[in-house]
Amino acid sequence: EEPILEFASLLDKRVFMGQQLLRDSDSTTMSHSLELRVPFVDREVEALSRSCASAFKLAGRASGSGYGASGAKRVLIDAFRDDLPAGILERPKRGFELPFQRWLDGCLNEQVLALGANRFPRGSAAIDRTYPRGWAQLVLERWHQALMPRDGLR
């Protein structure tokens, strides 16, 4: 009988990674004619990781913050510790986020202003410039412009 960590890892690999993450990555990149190489998805790497003791996989650091303190990805972190920029291991863990607000305020600013000018009479409220509402309004308007004829009739 496998320890709970091994069972959870196997379940994560077969269900979440295999049925969700890899499938979504594959369909998304294929729909844009791109080829994606997912790092560390290799039978030999997976076999090596399964051979490590559970205590070694999750043993966190006694002090500090970030990845090192949690124990997450300890083997990977320790393997590349000397190659990573100073301080990167102490940063808090975070997900990948797109800079929607920066886009609304920067490179999409003219489109946001034009949207407000086209939709609202002078002197009234302009488009909501905050994410997610401003982003949704801009995307909906661009979709409408692309798919609907100017006269509104088909």
Side-chain angles (χ1 to χ4, degrees):
E1 186 174 353
E2 290 187 281
I4 191 72
L5 178 62
E6 298 304 317
F7 179 72
S9 295
L10 185 61
L11 187 62
D12 199 35
K13 179 185 97 174
R14 289 191 179 160
V15 177
F16 184 58
M17 191 172 90
Q19 301 298 316
Q20 184 75 44
L21 295 177
L22 292 176
R23 184 199 67 208
D24 290 354
S25 298
D26 189 48
S27 63
T28 301
T29 55
M30 285 176 44
S31 70
H32 296 282
S33 300
L34 297 173
E35 185 166 336
L36 173 70
R37 297 281 188 225
V38 182
F40 308 116
V41 178
D42 179 273
R43 291 179 196 266
E44 292 175 14
V45 172
E46 191 264 339
L48 176 63
S49 70
R50 286 183 52 86
S51 72
C52 296
S54 296
F56 181 68
K57 293 177 189 176
L58 286 180
R61 306 276 185 260
S63 64
S65 60
Y67 287 101
S70 71
K73 302 180 184 177
R74 177 180 173 206
V75 175
L76 185 62
I77 289 168
D78 287 348
F80 291 97
R81 180 171 300 284
D82 295 336
D83 298 316
L84 295 171
I88 200 166
L89 299 178
E90 300 308 314
R91 292 190 321 196
K93 185 176 177 179
R94 64 180 196 216
F96 175 75
E97 297 176 3
L98 293 172
F100 294 110
Q101 191 63 54
R102 191 173 78 216
W103 291 343
L104 289 171
D105 294 336
C107 62
L108 297 176
N109 186 46
E110 289 183 26
Q111 291 184 42
V112 171
L113 293 174
L115 174 61
N118 292 337
R119 288 284 180 215
F120 304 107
R122 293 196 185 278
S124 67
I127 186 173
D128 185 336
R129 298 182 57 87
T130 60
Y131 178 80
R133 192 173 199 160
W135 177 258
Q137 288 174 318
L138 183 61
V139 169
L140 181 61
E141 178 62 22
R142 298 293 298 189
W143 170 82
H144 185 267
Q145 290 170 357
L147 296 180
M148 302 304 241
R150 297 214 186 272
D151 61 8
L153 302 173
R154 287 242 169 209

